[in-house]
Amino acid sequence: MQLLHCDKPYNLDEAAARRGAPRRKRKDSRTTAYELTIRIPEEHRRHFDGKKKLTRVVFALNKKVDLKGQVRAFEEEKNAVLDLALEARGGGSLDAAAWAAMPFGEYAERYVERRSGAISAATVANERRYLEYAKATIGSIPLKELVAEDVERCVLAVPRLSEAWAEERMRRLEENRERLRREGRLKRRTPLSPPRIAGPAMQSKVLKFVREVLNDAVDREHVGRNVAKKRFLSKSFRKGRPLIDPLMEDEAGRFLEEASSLPLGMTKVAVLILFSTGMRPEEMLALRVGAFVPAGEGDDAQVRIVAAQRAGRIENYTKSDSSMRTVPLDRYTASVVEAWIEEKRRALDEMGLVLRSSTPLLGETGNPWSYNSFKKRWNAFVRKAGFAGTRPYALRHTFATINLARGENIKTVSVLLGHADASYTLDLYVGFIPATTRGLANRYVGRLAPGLVDSGEKHGLKEDFR
């Protein structure tokens, strides 16, 4: 049976704002209105009075939990209606025994297909990648016969499968190059980059994917328990820590000098914004002209971060998302951004266009700068400046580590980075926070009674304890 699934939720509040229309009435003003849509395949429309699609308006506080839950409830409700209709008409709906006997690979494929309308295209692509590893190892095992040792075998096979697939891709690339050479269409023969082999990070992600699929099977009562939650699996395949590769303080100073010597342009603006704010590269590429707030009397210039660029599209953060924040800009970076906005306004005027607050800060005319184009400029800059191999994300770690090393409050840094919890920031950068225990006792007592600490007086015993 073909399972019904939602399209990507449509943000009604954003659509109303673009039209200049008022927001829908709601009980909780903090929520965002979304329209959920399920498109019904032609063969099942007779069970829904001939409708081509089903829609529902929902109000959600956040995407990660609230909206996902409402999407799932909508899908389950309509799939249950379809199941009953098929059973009544002899449509052959699967019973509990058939679901339990279904091969894990087929069930996981249905799981990804069902979710594809409610999650981003990038997440779907990642889940299909994890699905390949699962199908290659445990895909033929029925759900009811799957055991923890099978899951362990699947996860252990990830590096071996990754290497085999990488070698196959390299072989096909070489064959294609040889064909182009024989046809005289190969202009230059640059060496191929060495293949990337999946390691512990991918193993952890595959294990998490298998757990999520089996969680779904347990929730739908197709199996009794989730065998992928065994404790020995958690201990053996821990989630890898992100790469922390900041520039040291002297390197950061040299890097800033090189960035400031660039001519005014998109590369200079992008590098300085990343360096001085610690924002993510995808957030920098989603900045609009209206996000920049010039310095006022007694106030620093600021940048409002409200969106990120994903798969070439700018996606706004939800109101409850911790990534939505305002960060300060230093005076030099603010002056560069102001000069760039004026240059952009002049260039658009010459083309007969108007600079609006919604115009992307970085990019040609009204189009945002793509990550691939930015990365080419970045690579050229760091290579010329003597920092070859430095990632754009390293500037985010540089911002965090230098500020923490200089005694900035961990909560303040966490908010500026857009982390949901200061404990996550602390866990990432604990090695860069200076120890403050030396002299702590003297500072504590000295603030309360300075004379006691400053006197350094020696005291004799008043009583004889012999």
Side-chain angles (χ1 to χ4, degrees), residues 87 92-103 106-107 141-145 217 220-224:
E87 286 177 4
S93 180
L94 296 176
D95 58 15
W99 282 111
M102 182 179 291
E106 183 182 344
Y107 188 87
I141 302 176
L143 278 177
K144 63 182 179 182
E145 296 179 15
R220 295 171 184 271
E221 299 181 355
H222 301 325
V223 293

Side-chain angles (χ1 to χ4, degrees), residues 434-446:
T436 57
T437 53
R438 179 179 294 178
L440 183 145
N442 283 330
R443 290 197 301 273
Y444 168 60
V445 176

